[in-house]
Amino acid sequence: MSDRSWRVFFRVVALIIITGVVYSLVQSSTSFKELMKDQVYDTEKISFIKIDKMDSSYGENSVEITDPATIDRIINSFSNAKLWKTENYGRGTEYMIWVNVEYTPFAIYFTEPNIIKISPNRRSHKKYSWRYRITNGYDMSIINDLFKEK
């Protein structure tokens, strides 16, 4: 091959690699609202939310919320979260949040300080098998206040 052919070949290979890296970066970033747009599009269809604090035995540290205003506050606080794919596991307290939407629950696993995994029952897109780091922070006071009231 001539020198010019090798240059063209390396440019094509570099273009393919750069395209793959950019595509991977785009796929790694999402938001809670984007992931859950077909699950939680109307908070009025949520009949209850149950939050289990996983650092104790099952049921001992559990709160069930049926108040529509509180449900709306919890879902809206998550809906503003910007997510970035991660391989890390959280090192703090883990919360399992069951959200019952029209009798079809899904789970949000939230580990302090900022790791989240969503497990819906309706769809099994590959993005639901990933763990995400919340990049813009999450206000834990909403959940902490629920356990203080108990």
Side-chain angles (χ1 to χ4, degrees):
M1 280 177 113
S2 70
D3 189 40
R4 184 171 189 263
S5 298
W6 279 109
R7 285 187 208 165
V8 170
F9 173 74
F10 285 124
R11 286 181 182 159
V12 169
V13 169
L15 183 62
I16 290 170
I17 291 171
I18 291 171
T19 303
V21 168
V22 168
Y23 179 76
S24 177
L25 287 173
V26 168
Q27 290 296 310
S28 294
S29 176
T30 189
S31 68
F32 182 85
K33 192 179 289 188
E34 185 178 316
L35 275 177
M36 301 307 294
K37 63 185 167 195
D38 60 341
Q39 296 281 328
V40 185
Y41 51 89
D42 187 5
T43 56
E44 291 177 7
K45 295 186 179 193
I46 298 174
S47 57
F48 70 88
I49 292 178
K50 182 178 179 185
I51 303 174
D52 292 323
K53 198 171 186 178
M54 303 302 282
D55 64 348
S56 63
S57 60
Y58 180 77
E60 282 185 20
N61 233 350
S62 178
V63 176
E64 188 168 313
I65 301 108
T66 56
D67 176 44
T70 307
I71 289 172
D72 198 42
R73 277 184 44 223
I74 292 169
I75 295 300
N76 285 336
S77 67
F78 275 114
S79 68
N80 296 326
K82 302 289 182 208
L83 308 175
W84 189 264
K85 182 180 166 188
T86 185
E87 300 295 325
N88 295 339
Y89 290 88
R91 292 204 155 89
T93 304
E94 184 176 357
Y95 297 89
M96 183 170 58
I97 304 168
W98 287 98
V99 181
N100 194 33
V101 182
E102 294 182 330
Y103 306 105
T104 306
F106 67 90
I108 300 170
Y109 297 95
F110 178 75
T111 307
E112 292 180 330
N114 60 358
I115 303 295
I116 188 171
K117 181 179 180 191
I118 302 167
S119 298
N121 288 336
R122 296 181 187 171
R123 187 174 277 193
S124 59
H125 188 278
K126 68 179 180 178
K127 283 191 171 187
Y128 293 122
S129 65
W130 296 340
R131 291 191 187 289
Y132 293 96
R133 180 175 45 90
I134 300 175
T135 58
N136 61 341
Y138 177 70
D139 184 16
M140 276 299 295
S141 66
I142 297 168
I143 293 176
N144 288 334
D145 289 346
L146 293 172
F147 283 98
K148 285 179 186 175
E149 292 172 6
K150 185 178 174 188

